Amino acid sequence: MTKKKIPYAWELIAWLWLAYFMNQADRQLYSVVQKQVQQALGLTDIQTGLVGTVLIAAMAVMMPVAGFLGDRLSRSRIILWSLLAWSAATLLTGFTTGLVSLILIRSLATAVGEAFFVPAATALIGEFHVRTRSQALAIYQSAQYFGAVSCGLAGGWVAQRYGWKHSFWIFGGAGILLVALMWRRLKDAPKAPRAAAAVEPVGVVLRALARTPTALVLAAALGCSTFVNMGCLAWMPTYLQLEPFNLSPVSAGFNSMFYYQLFSFAGVLLGGRFTDKLVVRRPAFRVELSGAALLLCAPALYLMGATHSLWAVYAALGAFGFFRGLYDANIYASLFDVTAPRHHSSAIGLMAGFSFAIGSLAPIALGAIKQYHALHAGFSALGAVYVVASLALFVAARGFFPSDFSRNQQQPIPSATQKQ
């Protein structure tokens, strides 16, 4: 009796899950050991936040470039070289000795490597999965939660026991090892006969996206979401080490991620599992669910900064994570609903690049609030950002989505995805 072979479309998800796991672990690592780095290198709060801001801003600049290249070059090769580049930069971060070297290696080099991953990986999943798109993207998206939690626990433990430099060396080395394992297994989707001629000039792609209002609103909402998320991820481990909580670096690194990421995992799988079925009857459901999810995040964010109870903070992190997970499950699937397949990588790159440009302001903004006022006030204020994003998504679902979706349905589906 022969074993049933796993379809490559799902093997692909497994490999990209591992790569995205390392992507999120490496990105979160600085936040986990941020206090130790700050003390060792003698950085101010604003300088500490600047390192995260430069990283995110550099990704914002590079992601549109990465998106356009992802529609023109081999997506599998872009993914592999991206993983190698950011892993090497993470490893080298352990050798930095001051603010300048930290920004050059941790912020700029790491950002350039990471920027090329998301557009190519997400578009490649879109090629192999059509009818299972939300579910596949949700499973892939769940890697960010496991990556951040594992980093919070392992990175904090290594930093406390052996020093912060060893955390970067271990995580960077693990990413390089993963590249070697993936090198022969990752491949591009077979192209439709006319796909080779489908590459269009950048100006044509930009005009097509500019004429899709739903895509513009999705990008604006993701910008708001990224701003909030980057602020929370950058400063929550530090926040839990301050009065009145006074957690150790290991406890702060783990607990700042565990409750948020655990419930995010539940939310993203729930969102991915059911939206693929519900959008058959109500195509705008993905956008509507995204708006509702962000609106429900707002009270949790307010509570996070308003309470002095550690368990209330954990409860707020869990609620924030669950509703954020529902939103995450539908980010790129919603974008694919209103954009042509040949523009997917470009659209993701532009959308993610814009969101990172907005999100890059969060680490330094919360650093300034901490330095001149109080960090808890910054967390509470983040809820208002989600309210604005939520209202924009509801407007798009009712006003723009029907015509954008209808127009996109006239686009041919690539033959490589027909079996999924």
Side-chain angles (χ1 to χ4, degrees):
M1 187 175 179
T2 59
K3 286 185 177 181
K4 187 176 180 181
K5 188 177 179 181
I6 299 174
Y8 182 77
W10 291 107
E11 181 188 343
L12 172 75
I13 298 299
W15 286 117
L16 293 183
W17 191 96
L18 290 172
Y20 199 33
F21 174 95
M22 292 307 306
N23 177 282
Q24 294 300 301
D26 286 5
R27 188 182 303 172
Q28 184 61 21
L29 184 56
Y30 175 74
S31 297
V32 172
V33 301
Q34 181 171 266
K35 188 175 180 181
Q36 292 91 322
V37 174
Q38 182 178 8
Q39 293 172 345
L41 302 185
L43 306 179
T44 67
D45 289 328
I46 291 180
Q47 287 174 329
T48 303
L50 180 63
V51 176
T53 287
V54 173
L55 182 145
I56 301 166
M59 292 184 69
V61 172
M62 294 305 301
M63 274 190 169
V65 177
F68 288 121
L69 291 178
D71 282 332
R72 289 156 175 77
L73 303 177
S74 166
R75 288 169 177 166
S76 64
R77 297 301 101 177
I78 289 176
I79 291 166
L80 290 167
W81 284 109
S82 172
L83 173 56
L84 179 62
W86 89 62
S87 298
T90 298
L91 187 149
L92 291 173
T93 301
F95 295 99
T96 55
T97 57
L99 179 63
V100 174
S101 60
L102 193 62
I103 287 177
L104 288 175
I105 297 175
R106 175 61 195 169
S107 298
L108 297 178
T110 304
V112 171
E114 289 192 6
F116 281 83
F117 177 76
V118 170
T122 311
L124 189 60
I125 292 172
E127 283 189 293
F128 277 97
H129 293 268
V130 174
R131 296 179 182 88
T132 54
R133 184 168 285 166
S134 280
Q135 186 176 0
L137 287 170
I139 293 171
Y140 157 77
Q141 195 79 12
S142 71
Q144 70 172 302
Y145 315 131
F146 283 93
V149 171
S150 299
C151 177
L153 181 61
W157 182 83
V158 171
Q160 182 170 289
R161 189 173 180 87
Y162 301 105
W164 63 270
K165 292 177 179 287
H166 288 78
S167 298
F168 288 103
W169 294 337
I170 290 171
F171 277 86
I176 293 171
L177 177 61
L178 181 59
V179 173
L181 296 175
M182 291 176 61
W183 196 264
R184 291 185 177 275
R185 293 306 306 162
L186 209 63
K187 62 185 180 182
D188 294 306
K191 298 295 183 182
R194 60 186 298 272
V199 175
E200 297 173 338
V202 172
V204 173
V205 178
L206 290 174
R207 285 192 293 273
L209 296 176
R211 291 194 295 266
T212 310
T214 303
L216 300 180
V217 174
L218 289 172
L222 184 59
C224 294
S225 176
T226 303
F227 180 90
V228 172
N229 204 41
M230 292 297 180
C232 285
L233 292 178
W235 284 102
M236 184 55 70
T238 299
Y239 180 55
L240 293 180
Q241 294 177 62
L242 302 175
E243 293 282 352
F245 309 117
N246 295 317
L247 297 186
S248 69
V250 174
S251 295
F254 176 74
N255 289 304
S256 65
M257 294 295 105
F258 178 73
Y259 299 99
Y260 168 66
Q261 307 292 5
L262 175 66
F263 284 92
S264 293
F265 175 68
V268 78
L269 291 186
L270 182 66
R273 180 69 179 85
F274 291 104
T275 50
D276 280 330
K277 296 180 178 180
L278 292 173
V279 293
V280 175
R281 298 192 299 271
R282 188 178 181 85
F285 181 75
R286 285 189 179 115
V287 182
E288 293 168 340
L289 179 61
S290 296
L294 292 187
L295 185 62
L296 291 169
C297 285
L301 287 162
Y302 175 78
L303 177 62
M304 224 177 279
T307 183
H308 294 290
S309 165
L310 184 60
W311 285 106
V313 172
Y314 293 160
L317 281 168
F320 172 46
F322 179 77
F323 295 119
R324 172 64 193 257
L326 291 179
Y327 171 77
D328 284 348
N330 293 282
I331 298 171
Y332 296 118
S334 298
L335 183 65
F336 290 168
D337 283 341
V338 296
T339 55
R342 65 185 180 277
H343 297 158
H344 281 175
S345 182
S346 299
I348 294 165
L350 288 165
M351 180 173 168
F354 173 79
S355 75
F356 272 81
I358 302 300
S360 68
L361 303 174
I364 194 170
L366 266 70
I369 291 173
K370 177 179 181 293
Q371 186 163 316
Y372 296 114
H373 187 52
L375 188 54
H376 68 84
F379 281 112
S380 291
L382 291 176
V385 179
Y386 265 177
V387 172
V388 173
S390 172
L391 295 176
L393 288 170
F394 285 132
V395 170
R398 297 296 298 272
F400 306 131
F401 182 85
S403 59
D404 289 341
F405 178 79
S406 178
R407 182 172 62 253
N408 191 51
Q409 295 311 295
Q410 301 172 17
Q411 300 290 339
I413 296 174
S415 61
T417 64
Q418 292 296 325
K419 295 181 181 180
Q420 302 307 322

